[in-house]
Amino acid sequence: MEVFVARQPILDSNEQLIGYELLYRNGQVDFYNHVDGDRATIDVLINSFVSIGVDHISYQKKCFINFTENLLLQGFPENFPPEFVVVEILETIKPTKNIIESIVKLKKLGYTIALDDFVYEDQFKDLVELADIIKVEFPKMSAEQHWKLLKIARDYKIKLLAEKVETRQEFELAVKLGYDYFQGYFFSKPTIIKTTDIPSYSHVFVEIIQELNKSDTDIDTITRLIERDLSLSYKLLKLINSGSQTKNKITSLKQAIVLLGLKEVQKWTSIISLSGAGVGIPFQAIELCLSRAKMGELLANHLNKDKSEYFLLGMFSLIDTILHRPMDEAVKVLPFSDELKDALLGSKNTYGECLVLMQALENGDWETFATSCGKLGITEEESMNCYSQAIEWSSYIVEVIQAA
């Protein structure tokens, strides 16, 4: 499943990059198809901060993102880091008491507030007092409107951003007038950033959220539910690795859940579930990942190894195929031990030998199967029993997913 985000650079008067506006797109063509505003913003956020990553989407510079009235009232921007997010208030949003309160809260949390496509009217005074940046469609503004905005900017210490700057002449005029930031086709049309995502299956989200809402939430139950969904597992592990929660390596999904915290798991499960679920990944691939994960866990019992790490080994053994990217690129964002990463990259350490054993069984390569059993010190009968149990377990999980 491919995901897309368009970005357009925002520069200062020295033509130095200060950030990007991130825009919803659902394909390689630079065209907005007027999808529901809430869904468009949620997709932009998930695709940018989870699927692609802020390092790649904006080089850790500011991301200007439109938020609808509904998402502001829900406090949705709070799910994303204030050091990177500029909250754009759409021109269609009325400054009601609830909206003002939500923006005041965002300001206290450190978010930068921008008013989008702004034309001053007295009813917007409360918004102006909270704004850090005012964005205006530069070519549309009259001389009188320019001077009024420049006075407001001086009085309230607000930065002015000129949008839709399409010529060198317009840029130089905007600089001369006193605008601070600039955006438009003169610098760059929006460019499309694409990556491959792993689709999720919505019934898993429902079960997880229901379990998290119980007064006696059980972490082991949450872990088992998340283990069913490769997409959610991958994204939660990426979040752990990109955050400040830990510098240690993760040896199990349960450890990741404990480090992230149940409230964070609930929040991100809800957000990811809103971003689109349930299409694009063949059930055969899901079933193979699950069977390898379970077999790894069962083999670990015979090898006296950590069964949680061997579960992760099997679960992510096809992540390169699913994401359509090299394995080294796919696993570098995961907080795994070096030994586990090396095995996924082809090393023949103990983890890697377990993968060889799994693949030999799947392919009916009995010579390699026998050799791997010998190297691991496990009998062929024990290995076959592990394989049989793993196939039975993964088939049941896939049946549950398909029936949901």
Side-chain angles (χ1 to χ4, degrees), residues 173-186:
L173 175 59
V175 171
K176 187 175 180 180
L177 287 173
Y179 279 77
D180 303 281
Y181 304 135
F182 312 88
Q183 177 183 354
Y185 284 10
F186 170 62

Side-chain angles (χ1 to χ4, degrees), residues 210-277:
Q210 287 175 339
E211 182 65 32
L212 285 165
N213 284 328
K214 292 181 179 179
S215 57
D216 57 343
T217 300
D218 179 59
I219 288 181
D220 289 327
T221 301
I222 296 295
T223 302
R224 286 195 295 273
L225 288 170
I226 291 174
E227 284 174 348
R228 294 182 184 181
D229 194 289
L230 179 61
S231 174
L232 185 56
S233 301
Y234 185 73
K235 288 170 182 172
L236 289 178
L237 287 165
K238 277 185 70 175
L239 287 167
I240 281 281
N241 201 44
S242 63
S244 57
Q245 290 91 343
T246 180
K247 297 299 181 185
N248 300 320
K249 300 301 181 183
I250 298 296
T251 60
S252 69
L253 277 170
K254 182 176 180 179
Q255 181 190 357
I257 291 164
V258 170
L259 285 167
L260 200 57
L262 289 178
K263 286 187 177 179
E264 286 291 295
V265 171
Q266 183 178 39
K267 177 183 77 177
W268 282 103
T269 300
S270 300
I271 292 170
I272 293 167
S273 71
L274 290 171
S275 70

Side-chain angles (χ1 to χ4, degrees), residues 49-160:
F49 285 87
V50 181
S51 299
I52 298 172
V54 73
D55 288 344
H56 297 295
I57 200 74
S58 70
Y59 313 113
Q60 297 205 340
K61 294 187 181 295
K62 293 285 189 181
C63 299
F64 289 66
I65 300 168
N66 289 327
F67 284 88
T68 63
E69 179 178 9
N70 183 44
L71 294 180
L72 289 171
L73 293 175
Q74 290 181 30
F76 201 82
E78 297 171 34
N79 295 306
F80 299 88
E83 62 268 31
F84 298 127
V85 173
V86 176
V87 177
E88 290 198 20
I89 312 297
L90 295 168
E91 70 277 13
T92 54
I93 294 176
K94 303 299 182 185
T96 62
K97 179 184 177 183
N98 289 338
I99 282 291
I100 295 300
E101 288 176 353
S102 68
I103 296 172
V104 167
K105 183 180 180 183
L106 291 172
K107 286 279 289 187
K108 288 179 179 177
L109 291 172
Y111 290 89
T112 301
I113 305 298
L115 306 182
D116 191 31
D117 291 343
F118 186 76
V119 177
Y120 183 77
E121 295 177 19
D122 289 340
Q123 64 171 315
F124 297 126
K125 185 174 183 298
D126 289 343
L127 285 176
V128 168
E129 290 176 350
L130 294 169
D132 300 291
I133 298 169
I134 288 178
K135 300 181 70 176
V136 298
E137 289 193 28
F138 187 79
K140 285 188 176 182
M141 302 294 284
S142 67
E144 181 181 354
Q145 288 172 320
H146 281 306
W147 292 119
K148 183 180 286 189
L149 275 174
L150 288 162
K151 183 179 186 305
I152 289 171
R154 285 195 301 270
D155 291 345
Y156 291 97
K157 296 182 173 56
I158 296 171
K159 301 289 188 183
L160 289 181

